[in-house]
Amino acid sequence: MASVSAVPTKKISGGSFLLEDRQPNEVFTPEDFNEQHHLIAQTAEDFANNEILPNAAKLEHKDWALARELLKKASDLGLTSVDIPEAYGGAEMDKVSSCIIADRISKYAGFAVSWGGHTGIGTLPIVFFGTEEQKKKYLPRLGSGETIGAYALSESSSGSDALNCRARAELAPGGKHYILNGEKMWITNAGFADLFTVFAKVGDKFTAFLVEKSVPGFSIGAEEHKMGIRGSSTCPLILNDCKVPVENVLGEIGKGHVIAFNILNVGRFKLGAMCVGGARVSLQHAIGYAKQRKAFGKSIADFGMIQEKIAEMAVGIFTGEAMVYRTVGMMDAALSDIDKASTDASREIRKSIEEYAVECSILKVWGSEMLDHAVDEVVQIFGGYGFVEEYPAERAYRDSRVNRIFEGTNEINRMIITGWLLKRAMSGQLPLLPAIKRLMDEVLAGPSSADPLEGALAAERTIVANAKKLALFTAGAASQKYMQALADQQEVMGALADIIIQTYAMECCVLRARKMVEQNGESASSLPVAFAQVCLSDGMQKIEAAARKVIAAVAEGDMLRTQLAILRRLGKYDPVDTIALRRKIAGRVQEAGKYVAI
Ligand SMILES: Cc1cc2nc3c(=O)[nH]c(=O)nc-3n(C[C@H](O)[C@H](O)[C@H](O)COP(=O)(O)OP(=O)(O)OC[C@H]3O[C@@H](n4cnc5c(N)ncnc54)[C@H](O)[C@@H]3O)c2cc1C
């Protein structure tokens, strides 16, 4: 068996997956977890099972003293300070560990959102942008769970359009305080948090402030009555001549947008991890129920259409894990060179994460849609019991829905995915334009006589290579037609994002399966190979539909026919028997009683 290097250290550019071919030893996968990763996974899993789940009903009834107590207990186990530097009392672990905790803690979404609000958007603005004094003052207590953090960007009239906020900050006479006026809306943890990163405009300069709950003029509105994640607190904030010391300006006046957008990148990759964790739990519920529920004289787990749903969920989890850990593995490789003791360390860390902004948005969109599909199918598997509160399917279904709305809606993230890549292409940071030009020459020259790929999953690798070409081809055709005005063609931007998202998902899945084949041999890897084959079959159908939509919008007549012929050539793949593959996958996970990768 070929040896596989465990932890990739090569620095890889964000978005380059569309242009470059990767080998299994260049990607991090869950199979590369080291002892510390397994330990942190077990700690988080035990905490979720022993402390969170038994308390879920109380949290659903908004017992915020209990939520605080649990966050404190999580801190005592090192589950909240993973992203805080050691110099400020944090555990300062790698991003893989950070995602493992997000993934495992999400067994109950209500608490996972409180945890994410505190450790992510509630704490990281200070980690990345705080002054030395601010870090010393706040980070040790945030890490230890004595102070709970929250992040207040949205307002009733501006969520996606957050820079258009109405909250205002004015320097008070004497120059020692800013006076903040306005409101903030839908703020996670607001009901029990102590410290808020609040965005307001100084004149027209969008700025972030650290606002302690106790300052004069600051108050919290009533809890929202939400569709889901009822075990998390969501309230408006009222800023009524709220007096904030000047030393609590976070970052620079007028640079609030840099904070707002950077923090969301972290929120997005962690949300992707949480969605994978949520799907794993839902699948376990579905399997447990399907095995014991009888209809027509047998267990419903024996019906093909139920097996199909169970298999689909398992494929989603395997692929989601591959996407999340490949992405954070790239971040960790990029972060490994940074001198953590240097004064520039926070800026360097933040920039290294920002490099993967497109992958973060992909994880957010793909993960939230995968989970939504999974929880919907779990309701279906539970039948009538899926629709009543006493069974777990109902709450998971409601809890999942918000993931497509916060951390940037999926529409906004789709615009980011395509827009970010095109911007990088235009600025020359990513050699997308030469790649499109080469591809156009190649496809117009007709079918290639290149030697077919060989080895494990050779057909699947060819499909992924062609999916990348389709992404470039459609992006090239759309750019040619609309030039700079492409961003105004939202449906085209969205369809291009769908092609890009599916391409990343498929490649991550195939690379992970290949790595497992290399590690364990082909006969022991038939499950990951089946995951990859089903993932590709589903993915290519979606890519083809999105590519057709783009081409039909940008071309007509002979040009349309030529482009459709190219699409047929690049999108060609031999169908696999996904019915047999899904039965095999369902059989294996049903036998295990839960999701397994091998
Ligand atoms: C439970 C919960 C917790 C939250 N926690 C926080 C928090 O802790 N801190 C915080 O600051 N915010 C928080 N939010 C707010 C959340 O981030 C916003 O709701 C979200 O960004 C969407 O903004 P909006 O609600 O104003 O919708 P809008 O921006 O009005 O969007 C409405 C619809 O229009 C679409 N749309 C908007 N602009 C565009 C565009 N340019 N192109 C295409 N479509 C567009 C959107 O995708 C959406 O479908 C939370 C929300 C919820 C529900």
Side-chain angles (χ1 to χ4, degrees), residues 151 153 160 162-163 256-266 268:
Y151 175 86
L153 175 65
S160 304
L163 298 190
H257 61 287
V258 182
I259 301 178
F261 297 145
N262 268 287
I263 296 310
L264 288 177
N265 285 326
V266 179
R268 285 169 190 155

Side-chain angles (χ1 to χ4, degrees), residues 113 117 121 150-162 184-190 197 199 224 226 228-229 232-235 264 402 404-413 415 490:
V113 169
I121 53 180
Y151 175 86
L153 175 65
S154 305
E155 296 186 2
S156 54
S157 60
S158 57
S160 304
D161 190 14
K184 292 284 157 181
M185 185 89 176
W186 302 298
I187 307 310
T188 298
N189 289 350
T197 300
F199 293 83
E224 302 292 349
K226 304 191 295 271
I229 54 165
S232 71
S233 167
T234 313
C235 312
L264 288 177
V402 74
R404 284 162 53 200
I405 297 172
F406 58 19
E407 304 288 357
T409 66
N410 283 13
E411 289 74 22
I412 294 292
N413 272 290
M415 292 295 289
Q490 286 210 338

